[in-house]
Amino acid sequence: METLAMHISNGIIDGPVAAIFAAFALAALTFCVLRGRADLDDRLAPMAGLVAAFIFAVQMLNFPIFTAGVSGHLLGGALAALLVGPWVGALCVAVVLVVQALVFGDGGVAMLGLNITNMAILGTAAAYLLIALLLRVLPRTPAGLAVTAFVSALVSVVVASQGFVLQYWLGGTTDLGGNLGGLAGTMAVAHLLIGIGEGLITATTVVTVAKVRPDLVYALRALKPAVPAPAVPVAGGAR
């Protein structure tokens, strides 16, 4: 393949597979709308707009990796999951992808279902699962929040890249000669480097917001710290 990018262009994946993932993306976004409506309040609604605008600006920054034919950009799934939650966060990333495809031609319109599945759904879901785990075991200090943001952002980018590998295995239009493992490895290594950059940006942004307005960080409000079970008194001298 001459190019590797998270924004899949028209013609890279065949029509039937693109249609299947378009249906999946539509169903997943519908579910996010239904679940996200319960989270929306006077804090989350304006925050969602700010997060979408920030992700849009960050995603416009494309940079080459290894060679001029391999490019990447930041995704924003972990940032959205931390600040506005997984449901609204997935919708924010999806809106950005739709605008970029329709207005700027970044990613094929026929491939929108594939791109939304990888970056808005898989990336955000993987990030929030890690966030939910890490915030229960790490101290809720700026350092703990920074580690949570960095790790979740890095992993979410790699997971999203492997979504493309799965899609290419199902309906890629170029024969790789059985070298699907090579494609998976190339995508993982390239997006690991992207993930490091995204992790640093995500950690810096979320910690800054948390220091000023911790109530605006969805993950800190929604994910309660683990509380140890109270000790049960022993009566009558029994052990």
Short mmCIF file of all heavy atoms in Angstrom, two decimals, residues 92-166:
data_model
loop_
_atom_site.label_atom_id
_atom_site.label_comp_id
_atom_site.label_asym_id
_atom_site.label_seq_id
_atom_site.Cartn_x
_atom_site.Cartn_y
_atom_site.Cartn_z
N CYS A 92 -19.00 13.43 19.56
CA CYS A 92 -18.14 14.57 19.22
C CYS A 92 -17.14 14.20 18.13
O CYS A 92 -16.97 14.93 17.15
CB CYS A 92 -17.40 15.06 20.46
SG CYS A 92 -18.41 15.92 21.68
N VAL A 93 -16.47 13.05 18.31
CA VAL A 93 -15.48 12.63 17.32
C VAL A 93 -16.17 12.33 15.99
O VAL A 93 -15.65 12.67 14.91
CB VAL A 93 -14.71 11.40 17.82
CG1 VAL A 93 -13.72 10.92 16.76
CG2 VAL A 93 -13.98 11.71 19.12
N ALA A 94 -17.35 11.71 16.03
CA ALA A 94 -18.07 11.39 14.80
C ALA A 94 -18.46 12.65 14.03
O ALA A 94 -18.34 12.70 12.80
CB ALA A 94 -19.32 10.56 15.12
N VAL A 95 -18.92 13.67 14.74
CA VAL A 95 -19.29 14.93 14.08
C VAL A 95 -18.07 15.54 13.40
O VAL A 95 -18.16 16.03 12.26
CB VAL A 95 -19.89 15.91 15.11
CG1 VAL A 95 -19.99 17.31 14.53
CG2 VAL A 95 -21.26 15.43 15.56
N VAL A 96 -16.93 15.51 14.07
CA VAL A 96 -15.70 16.04 13.48
C VAL A 96 -15.35 15.28 12.20
O VAL A 96 -14.99 15.89 11.17
CB VAL A 96 -14.54 15.96 14.49
CG1 VAL A 96 -13.21 16.29 13.82
CG2 VAL A 96 -14.78 16.91 15.65
N LEU A 97 -15.46 13.97 12.22
CA LEU A 97 -15.13 13.16 11.05
C LEU A 97 -16.07 13.45 9.88
O LEU A 97 -15.64 13.51 8.72
CB LEU A 97 -15.19 11.68 11.41
CG LEU A 97 -14.17 11.19 12.43
CD1 LEU A 97 -14.43 9.74 12.80
CD2 LEU A 97 -12.75 11.37 11.91
N VAL A 98 -17.35 13.64 10.17
CA VAL A 98 -18.31 13.95 9.11
C VAL A 98 -17.99 15.30 8.47
O VAL A 98 -17.97 15.43 7.24
CB VAL A 98 -19.75 13.95 9.68
CG1 VAL A 98 -20.72 14.49 8.64
CG2 VAL A 98 -20.16 12.54 10.08
N VAL A 99 -17.71 16.30 9.29
CA VAL A 99 -17.39 17.63 8.76
C VAL A 99 -16.11 17.57 7.93
O VAL A 99 -16.03 18.16 6.83
CB VAL A 99 -17.23 18.65 9.91
CG1 VAL A 99 -16.70 19.98 9.38
CG2 VAL A 99 -18.58 18.86 10.60
N GLN A 100 -15.10 16.87 8.42
CA GLN A 100 -13.85 16.79 7.68
C GLN A 100 -14.02 16.08 6.34
O GLN A 100 -13.42 16.48 5.34
CB GLN A 100 -12.79 16.07 8.52
CG GLN A 100 -12.28 16.89 9.69
CD GLN A 100 -11.16 16.21 10.43
OE1 GLN A 100 -11.00 15.00 10.32
NE2 GLN A 100 -10.41 16.96 11.20
N ALA A 101 -14.85 15.04 6.31
CA ALA A 101 -15.07 14.32 5.06
C ALA A 101 -15.85 15.15 4.06
O ALA A 101 -15.53 15.18 2.87
CB ALA A 101 -15.78 13.00 5.33
N LEU A 102 -16.91 15.82 4.52
CA LEU A 102 -17.79 16.57 3.62
C LEU A 102 -17.20 17.90 3.18
O LEU A 102 -17.40 18.33 2.05
CB LEU A 102 -19.14 16.80 4.30
CG LEU A 102 -19.96 15.54 4.62
CD1 LEU A 102 -21.26 15.93 5.32
CD2 LEU A 102 -20.25 14.74 3.35
N VAL A 103 -16.48 18.56 4.07
CA VAL A 103 -16.00 19.92 3.78
C VAL A 103 -14.56 19.91 3.27
O VAL A 103 -14.22 20.64 2.33
CB VAL A 103 -16.13 20.82 5.03
CG1 VAL A 103 -15.59 22.22 4.75
CG2 VAL A 103 -17.58 20.90 5.49
N PHE A 104 -13.72 19.09 3.88
CA PHE A 104 -12.29 19.13 3.55
C PHE A 104 -11.82 17.92 2.75
O PHE A 104 -10.65 17.85 2.37
CB PHE A 104 -11.47 19.25 4.83
CG PHE A 104 -11.70 20.52 5.59
CD1 PHE A 104 -12.60 20.55 6.65
CD2 PHE A 104 -11.06 21.69 5.23
CE1 PHE A 104 -12.83 21.72 7.35
CE2 PHE A 104 -11.28 22.87 5.92
CZ PHE A 104 -12.18 22.89 6.98
N GLY A 105 -12.71 16.97 2.51
CA GLY A 105 -12.31 15.79 1.75
C GLY A 105 -11.31 14.92 2.45
O GLY A 105 -10.56 14.17 1.82
N ASP A 106 -11.26 15.00 3.78
CA ASP A 106 -10.31 14.20 4.56
C ASP A 106 -10.99 12.88 4.90
O ASP A 106 -11.74 12.76 5.86
CB ASP A 106 -9.93 14.95 5.84
CG ASP A 106 -8.63 14.42 6.45
OD1 ASP A 106 -8.11 13.41 5.91
OD2 ASP A 106 -8.14 14.99 7.43
N GLY A 107 -10.71 11.85 4.11
CA GLY A 107 -11.42 10.58 4.23
C GLY A 107 -12.58 10.53 3.26
O GLY A 107 -13.27 11.52 3.03
N GLY A 108 -12.80 9.38 2.67
CA GLY A 108 -13.87 9.25 1.68
C GLY A 108 -15.24 9.27 2.31
O GLY A 108 -15.45 8.71 3.39
N VAL A 109 -16.19 9.90 1.63
CA VAL A 109 -17.56 9.94 2.14
C VAL A 109 -18.14 8.53 2.21
O VAL A 109 -18.85 8.18 3.16
CB VAL A 109 -18.43 10.86 1.26
CG1 VAL A 109 -19.89 10.81 1.70
CG2 VAL A 109 -17.92 12.29 1.30
N ALA A 110 -17.84 7.71 1.21
CA ALA A 110 -18.33 6.33 1.22
C ALA A 110 -17.68 5.49 2.32
O ALA A 110 -18.19 4.43 2.67
CB ALA A 110 -18.07 5.69 -0.14
N MET A 111 -16.57 5.97 2.86
CA MET A 111 -15.85 5.26 3.92
C MET A 111 -16.15 5.80 5.31
O MET A 111 -15.49 5.42 6.29
CB MET A 111 -14.34 5.33 3.67
CG MET A 111 -13.88 4.80 2.33
SD MET A 111 -14.07 3.00 2.14
CE MET A 111 -15.36 2.93 0.88
N LEU A 112 -17.12 6.69 5.43
CA LEU A 112 -17.41 7.33 6.71
C LEU A 112 -17.72 6.30 7.80
O LEU A 112 -17.30 6.46 8.96
CB LEU A 112 -18.58 8.31 6.58
CG LEU A 112 -18.21 9.78 6.46
CD1 LEU A 112 -19.46 10.63 6.24
CD2 LEU A 112 -17.44 10.25 7.68
N GLY A 113 -18.47 5.27 7.46
CA GLY A 113 -18.80 4.25 8.45
C GLY A 113 -17.56 3.58 9.00
O GLY A 113 -17.46 3.29 10.20
N LEU A 114 -16.58 3.33 8.14
CA LEU A 114 -15.32 2.72 8.57
C LEU A 114 -14.53 3.65 9.48
O LEU A 114 -14.04 3.24 10.54
CB LEU A 114 -14.47 2.36 7.34
CG LEU A 114 -15.10 1.40 6.33
CD1 LEU A 114 -14.33 1.44 5.01
CD2 LEU A 114 -15.12 -0.02 6.88
N ASN A 115 -14.42 4.91 9.07
CA ASN A 115 -13.66 5.87 9.85
C ASN A 115 -14.31 6.15 11.20
O ASN A 115 -13.63 6.26 12.22
CB ASN A 115 -13.50 7.17 9.06
CG ASN A 115 -12.52 7.03 7.91
OD1 ASN A 115 -11.49 6.39 8.04
ND2 ASN A 115 -12.85 7.62 6.76
N ILE A 116 -15.63 6.26 11.21
CA ILE A 116 -16.35 6.50 12.47
C ILE A 116 -16.20 5.29 13.39
O ILE A 116 -16.01 5.44 14.60
CB ILE A 116 -17.82 6.82 12.19
CG1 ILE A 116 -17.94 8.22 11.57
CG2 ILE A 116 -18.65 6.74 13.48
CD1 ILE A 116 -19.35 8.58 11.14
N THR A 117 -16.28 4.10 12.83
CA THR A 117 -16.12 2.89 13.65
C THR A 117 -14.75 2.88 14.32
O THR A 117 -14.63 2.61 15.52
CB THR A 117 -16.28 1.63 12.78
OG1 THR A 117 -17.62 1.59 12.28
CG2 THR A 117 -16.02 0.38 13.60
N ASN A 118 -13.71 3.16 13.56
CA ASN A 118 -12.35 3.09 14.10
C ASN A 118 -12.06 4.18 15.10
O ASN A 118 -11.61 3.91 16.22
CB ASN A 118 -11.33 3.17 12.96
CG ASN A 118 -11.40 1.98 12.03
OD1 ASN A 118 -11.90 0.92 12.39
ND2 ASN A 118 -10.92 2.15 10.81
N MET A 119 -12.30 5.43 14.72
CA MET A 119 -11.85 6.55 15.54
C MET A 119 -12.87 6.99 16.58
O MET A 119 -12.49 7.31 17.72
CB MET A 119 -11.47 7.72 14.62
CG MET A 119 -10.22 7.44 13.83
SD MET A 119 -9.71 8.82 12.78
CE MET A 119 -10.70 8.50 11.32
N ALA A 120 -14.15 7.02 16.22
CA ALA A 120 -15.15 7.51 17.16
C ALA A 120 -15.65 6.43 18.10
O ALA A 120 -15.92 6.70 19.28
CB ALA A 120 -16.34 8.11 16.39
N ILE A 121 -15.76 5.20 17.61
CA ILE A 121 -16.37 4.14 18.43
C ILE A 121 -15.30 3.29 19.10
O ILE A 121 -15.23 3.22 20.34
CB ILE A 121 -17.32 3.29 17.58
CG1 ILE A 121 -18.46 4.16 17.04
CG2 ILE A 121 -17.88 2.13 18.39
CD1 ILE A 121 -19.33 3.50 16.01
N LEU A 122 -14.45 2.63 18.31
CA LEU A 122 -13.43 1.77 18.90
C LEU A 122 -12.44 2.56 19.75
O LEU A 122 -12.11 2.17 20.87
CB LEU A 122 -12.67 1.02 17.80
CG LEU A 122 -13.45 -0.03 17.02
CD1 LEU A 122 -12.54 -0.70 15.99
CD2 LEU A 122 -14.05 -1.08 17.95
N GLY A 123 -11.96 3.67 19.22
CA GLY A 123 -10.98 4.47 19.95
C GLY A 123 -11.52 5.01 21.26
O GLY A 123 -10.87 4.91 22.31
N THR A 124 -12.73 5.57 21.23
CA THR A 124 -13.33 6.12 22.44
C THR A 124 -13.67 5.03 23.45
O THR A 124 -13.46 5.18 24.65
CB THR A 124 -14.59 6.93 22.09
OG1 THR A 124 -14.26 7.92 21.11
CG2 THR A 124 -15.15 7.62 23.32
N ALA A 125 -14.19 3.90 22.96
CA ALA A 125 -14.55 2.80 23.86
C ALA A 125 -13.31 2.23 24.55
O ALA A 125 -13.31 2.00 25.77
CB ALA A 125 -15.28 1.71 23.08
N ALA A 126 -12.25 1.98 23.79
CA ALA A 126 -11.02 1.45 24.38
C ALA A 126 -10.46 2.42 25.40
O ALA A 126 -9.99 2.00 26.48
CB ALA A 126 -9.99 1.18 23.28
N ALA A 127 -10.50 3.71 25.08
CA ALA A 127 -9.98 4.72 26.01
C ALA A 127 -10.77 4.72 27.31
O ALA A 127 -10.20 4.72 28.40
CB ALA A 127 -10.03 6.10 25.37
N TYR A 128 -12.10 4.70 27.22
CA TYR A 128 -12.90 4.81 28.44
C TYR A 128 -12.81 3.56 29.30
O TYR A 128 -12.86 3.65 30.54
CB TYR A 128 -14.36 5.11 28.09
CG TYR A 128 -15.12 5.64 29.30
CD1 TYR A 128 -14.90 6.95 29.74
CD2 TYR A 128 -16.03 4.85 29.99
CE1 TYR A 128 -15.56 7.45 30.84
CE2 TYR A 128 -16.70 5.35 31.10
CZ TYR A 128 -16.46 6.64 31.53
OH TYR A 128 -17.11 7.14 32.62
N LEU A 129 -12.67 2.40 28.69
CA LEU A 129 -12.48 1.19 29.48
C LEU A 129 -11.20 1.28 30.31
O LEU A 129 -11.18 0.91 31.50
CB LEU A 129 -12.43 -0.03 28.56
CG LEU A 129 -13.75 -0.46 27.93
CD1 LEU A 129 -13.53 -1.59 26.93
CD2 LEU A 129 -14.75 -0.90 29.01
N LEU A 130 -10.14 1.78 29.71
CA LEU A 130 -8.89 1.96 30.44
C LEU A 130 -9.01 3.05 31.50
O LEU A 130 -8.48 2.92 32.61
CB LEU A 130 -7.76 2.31 29.47
CG LEU A 130 -6.90 1.14 28.97
CD1 LEU A 130 -5.89 1.64 27.96
CD2 LEU A 130 -6.20 0.47 30.13
N ILE A 131 -9.70 4.13 31.15
CA ILE A 131 -9.91 5.22 32.11
C ILE A 131 -10.65 4.71 33.34
O ILE A 131 -10.27 5.00 34.48
CB ILE A 131 -10.69 6.37 31.45
CG1 ILE A 131 -9.83 7.05 30.38
CG2 ILE A 131 -11.14 7.39 32.49
CD1 ILE A 131 -10.61 7.94 29.43
N ALA A 132 -11.70 3.94 33.12
CA ALA A 132 -12.49 3.41 34.23
C ALA A 132 -11.64 2.50 35.12
O ALA A 132 -11.81 2.49 36.35
CB ALA A 132 -13.69 2.64 33.69
N LEU A 133 -10.73 1.76 34.52
CA LEU A 133 -9.85 0.88 35.29
C LEU A 133 -8.79 1.68 36.05
O LEU A 133 -8.61 1.50 37.26
CB LEU A 133 -9.19 -0.14 34.36
CG LEU A 133 -8.11 -1.03 34.99
CD1 LEU A 133 -8.71 -1.92 36.07
CD2 LEU A 133 -7.43 -1.87 33.92
N LEU A 134 -8.11 2.56 35.33
CA LEU A 134 -6.98 3.26 35.93
C LEU A 134 -7.40 4.23 37.03
O LEU A 134 -6.69 4.38 38.03
CB LEU A 134 -6.19 4.01 34.84
CG LEU A 134 -5.47 3.12 33.82
CD1 LEU A 134 -4.85 3.95 32.72
CD2 LEU A 134 -4.42 2.27 34.51
N LEU A 135 -8.55 4.89 36.86
CA LEU A 135 -8.98 5.84 37.88
C LEU A 135 -9.44 5.15 39.16
O LEU A 135 -9.63 5.81 40.19
CB LEU A 135 -10.11 6.72 37.34
CG LEU A 135 -9.69 7.83 36.39
CD1 LEU A 135 -10.89 8.66 35.96
CD2 LEU A 135 -8.63 8.73 37.01
N ARG A 136 -9.62 3.84 39.12
CA ARG A 136 -9.98 3.09 40.33
C ARG A 136 -8.75 2.56 41.06
O ARG A 136 -8.87 2.16 42.23
CB ARG A 136 -10.92 1.93 39.97
CG ARG A 136 -12.28 2.40 39.49
CD ARG A 136 -13.20 1.24 39.22
NE ARG A 136 -14.47 1.70 38.65
CZ ARG A 136 -15.49 2.18 39.35
NH1 ARG A 136 -15.39 2.26 40.67
NH2 ARG A 136 -16.60 2.56 38.76
N VAL A 137 -7.60 2.56 40.40
CA VAL A 137 -6.40 2.02 41.05
C VAL A 137 -5.32 3.08 41.26
O VAL A 137 -4.46 2.90 42.14
CB VAL A 137 -5.83 0.84 40.23
CG1 VAL A 137 -6.82 -0.30 40.17
CG2 VAL A 137 -5.42 1.26 38.83
N LEU A 138 -5.37 4.15 40.49
CA LEU A 138 -4.37 5.21 40.64
C LEU A 138 -4.91 6.31 41.54
O LEU A 138 -6.12 6.54 41.59
CB LEU A 138 -4.01 5.80 39.27
CG LEU A 138 -3.28 4.87 38.30
CD1 LEU A 138 -3.05 5.58 36.96
CD2 LEU A 138 -1.94 4.41 38.88
N PRO A 139 -4.03 7.01 42.25
CA PRO A 139 -4.49 8.14 43.07
C PRO A 139 -5.04 9.26 42.19
O PRO A 139 -4.52 9.51 41.09
CB PRO A 139 -3.21 8.58 43.79
CG PRO A 139 -2.09 8.08 42.93
CD PRO A 139 -2.58 6.79 42.33
N ARG A 140 -6.07 9.92 42.67
CA ARG A 140 -6.69 10.98 41.88
C ARG A 140 -5.97 12.31 42.10
O ARG A 140 -6.54 13.31 42.52
CB ARG A 140 -8.17 11.08 42.20
CG ARG A 140 -8.91 9.79 41.87
CD ARG A 140 -10.38 9.98 41.72
NE ARG A 140 -10.99 8.77 41.25
CZ ARG A 140 -12.19 8.71 40.69
NH1 ARG A 140 -12.91 9.81 40.53
NH2 ARG A 140 -12.69 7.57 40.28
N THR A 141 -4.71 12.27 41.81
CA THR A 141 -3.84 13.44 41.86
C THR A 141 -3.55 13.87 40.42
O THR A 141 -3.85 13.14 39.48
CB THR A 141 -2.53 13.09 42.57
OG1 THR A 141 -1.88 12.03 41.82
CG2 THR A 141 -2.78 12.59 43.99
N PRO A 142 -2.96 15.06 40.23
CA PRO A 142 -2.59 15.44 38.86
C PRO A 142 -1.71 14.41 38.17
O PRO A 142 -1.88 14.13 36.99
CB PRO A 142 -1.86 16.77 39.07
CG PRO A 142 -2.48 17.36 40.29
CD PRO A 142 -2.78 16.18 41.17
N ALA A 143 -0.80 13.79 38.93
CA ALA A 143 0.07 12.77 38.33
C ALA A 143 -0.74 11.54 37.94
O ALA A 143 -0.55 10.98 36.86
CB ALA A 143 1.18 12.38 39.31
N GLY A 144 -1.65 11.10 38.81
CA GLY A 144 -2.47 9.94 38.48
C GLY A 144 -3.37 10.18 37.30
O GLY A 144 -3.55 9.30 36.44
N LEU A 145 -3.95 11.38 37.24
CA LEU A 145 -4.81 11.73 36.11
C LEU A 145 -4.00 11.82 34.82
O LEU A 145 -4.46 11.41 33.75
CB LEU A 145 -5.52 13.06 36.38
CG LEU A 145 -6.56 13.51 35.36
CD1 LEU A 145 -7.68 12.49 35.21
CD2 LEU A 145 -7.13 14.87 35.74
N ALA A 146 -2.78 12.34 34.91
CA ALA A 146 -1.92 12.45 33.73
C ALA A 146 -1.56 11.07 33.19
O ALA A 146 -1.59 10.84 31.97
CB ALA A 146 -0.65 13.23 34.07
N VAL A 147 -1.22 10.14 34.08
CA VAL A 147 -0.90 8.77 33.64
C VAL A 147 -2.12 8.14 32.99
O VAL A 147 -2.02 7.48 31.94
CB VAL A 147 -0.42 7.93 34.84
CG1 VAL A 147 -0.29 6.46 34.44
CG2 VAL A 147 0.92 8.45 35.35
N THR A 148 -3.29 8.31 33.60
CA THR A 148 -4.53 7.77 33.04
C THR A 148 -4.78 8.31 31.64
O THR A 148 -5.10 7.55 30.71
CB THR A 148 -5.72 8.11 33.95
OG1 THR A 148 -5.52 7.51 35.23
CG2 THR A 148 -7.02 7.61 33.35
N ALA A 149 -4.64 9.61 31.48
CA ALA A 149 -4.89 10.24 30.18
C ALA A 149 -3.89 9.76 29.14
O ALA A 149 -4.25 9.45 28.00
CB ALA A 149 -4.84 11.76 30.32
N PHE A 150 -2.61 9.71 29.53
CA PHE A 150 -1.57 9.32 28.57
C PHE A 150 -1.76 7.88 28.10
O PHE A 150 -1.75 7.60 26.90
CB PHE A 150 -0.19 9.48 29.21
CG PHE A 150 0.95 9.09 28.31
CD1 PHE A 150 1.48 10.00 27.40
CD2 PHE A 150 1.48 7.82 28.35
CE1 PHE A 150 2.52 9.65 26.55
CE2 PHE A 150 2.52 7.45 27.51
CZ PHE A 150 3.04 8.36 26.61
N VAL A 151 -1.94 6.96 29.04
CA VAL A 151 -2.05 5.54 28.68
C VAL A 151 -3.30 5.28 27.87
O VAL A 151 -3.27 4.56 26.85
CB VAL A 151 -2.03 4.66 29.95
CG1 VAL A 151 -2.32 3.21 29.61
CG2 VAL A 151 -0.69 4.78 30.66
N SER A 152 -4.43 5.86 28.28
CA SER A 152 -5.68 5.62 27.56
C SER A 152 -5.62 6.20 26.15
O SER A 152 -6.13 5.58 25.20
CB SER A 152 -6.86 6.22 28.32
OG SER A 152 -6.72 7.62 28.48
N ALA A 153 -4.99 7.35 25.97
CA ALA A 153 -4.87 7.95 24.64
C ALA A 153 -3.99 7.09 23.74
O ALA A 153 -4.32 6.83 22.58
CB ALA A 153 -4.31 9.37 24.75
N LEU A 154 -2.84 6.66 24.28
CA LEU A 154 -1.92 5.85 23.48
C LEU A 154 -2.59 4.54 23.03
O LEU A 154 -2.54 4.18 21.85
CB LEU A 154 -0.67 5.56 24.29
CG LEU A 154 0.50 4.89 23.57
CD1 LEU A 154 1.83 5.27 24.23
CD2 LEU A 154 0.38 3.37 23.56
N VAL A 155 -3.22 3.84 23.96
CA VAL A 155 -3.84 2.56 23.63
C VAL A 155 -5.00 2.75 22.66
O VAL A 155 -5.19 1.96 21.73
CB VAL A 155 -4.31 1.85 24.91
CG1 VAL A 155 -5.13 0.60 24.57
CG2 VAL A 155 -3.11 1.46 25.78
N SER A 156 -5.79 3.81 22.84
CA SER A 156 -6.94 4.02 21.97
C SER A 156 -6.53 4.24 20.52
O SER A 156 -7.20 3.78 19.59
CB SER A 156 -7.76 5.23 22.45
OG SER A 156 -7.09 6.45 22.22
N VAL A 157 -5.41 4.91 20.30
CA VAL A 157 -4.92 5.15 18.94
C VAL A 157 -4.50 3.83 18.29
O VAL A 157 -4.83 3.56 17.13
CB VAL A 157 -3.75 6.15 18.96
CG1 VAL A 157 -3.10 6.24 17.58
CG2 VAL A 157 -4.24 7.53 19.38
N VAL A 158 -3.79 2.99 19.04
CA VAL A 158 -3.35 1.71 18.50
C VAL A 158 -4.56 0.81 18.20
O VAL A 158 -4.62 0.13 17.17
CB VAL A 158 -2.37 1.02 19.45
CG1 VAL A 158 -2.00 -0.37 18.93
CG2 VAL A 158 -1.12 1.87 19.63
N VAL A 159 -5.54 0.79 19.10
CA VAL A 159 -6.75 -0.01 18.89
C VAL A 159 -7.48 0.45 17.63
O VAL A 159 -7.93 -0.36 16.81
CB VAL A 159 -7.68 0.06 20.11
CG1 VAL A 159 -9.06 -0.53 19.79
CG2 VAL A 159 -7.07 -0.69 21.29
N ALA A 160 -7.60 1.76 17.45
CA ALA A 160 -8.27 2.29 16.26
C ALA A 160 -7.54 1.87 14.99
O ALA A 160 -8.17 1.52 13.98
CB ALA A 160 -8.36 3.81 16.35
N SER A 161 -6.22 1.85 15.03
CA SER A 161 -5.46 1.45 13.85
C SER A 161 -5.68 -0.02 13.51
O SER A 161 -5.71 -0.40 12.34
CB SER A 161 -3.96 1.72 14.06
OG SER A 161 -3.39 0.77 14.95
N GLN A 162 -5.85 -0.84 14.53
CA GLN A 162 -6.09 -2.26 14.27
C GLN A 162 -7.51 -2.51 13.76
O GLN A 162 -7.78 -3.54 13.13
CB GLN A 162 -5.83 -3.07 15.53
CG GLN A 162 -4.38 -3.02 16.01
CD GLN A 162 -3.38 -3.33 14.91
OE1 GLN A 162 -3.37 -4.43 14.37
NE2 GLN A 162 -2.53 -2.36 14.58
N GLY A 163 -8.42 -1.58 14.04
CA GLY A 163 -9.74 -1.65 13.42
C GLY A 163 -9.63 -1.57 11.91
O GLY A 163 -10.33 -2.29 11.18
N PHE A 164 -8.73 -0.72 11.42
CA PHE A 164 -8.50 -0.63 9.97
C PHE A 164 -7.95 -1.95 9.43
O PHE A 164 -8.33 -2.38 8.34
CB PHE A 164 -7.54 0.51 9.66
CG PHE A 164 -7.04 0.49 8.24
CD1 PHE A 164 -7.85 0.90 7.20
CD2 PHE A 164 -5.76 0.03 7.95
CE1 PHE A 164 -7.39 0.86 5.88
CE2 PHE A 164 -5.30 0.00 6.64
CZ PHE A 164 -6.12 0.41 5.61
N VAL A 165 -7.06 -2.58 10.19
CA VAL A 165 -6.48 -3.85 9.74
C VAL A 165 -7.58 -4.89 9.58
O VAL A 165 -7.62 -5.65 8.59
CB VAL A 165 -5.41 -4.34 10.73
CG1 VAL A 165 -4.89 -5.72 10.33
CG2 VAL A 165 -4.26 -3.35 10.80
N LEU A 166 -8.49 -4.96 10.54
CA LEU A 166 -9.62 -5.89 10.44
C LEU A 166 -10.47 -5.59 9.21
O LEU A 166 -10.84 -6.51 8.45
CB LEU A 166 -10.49 -5.79 11.70
CG LEU A 166 -11.82 -6.54 11.66
CD1 LEU A 166 -11.60 -8.05 11.52
CD2 LEU A 166 -12.66 -6.23 12.89
#
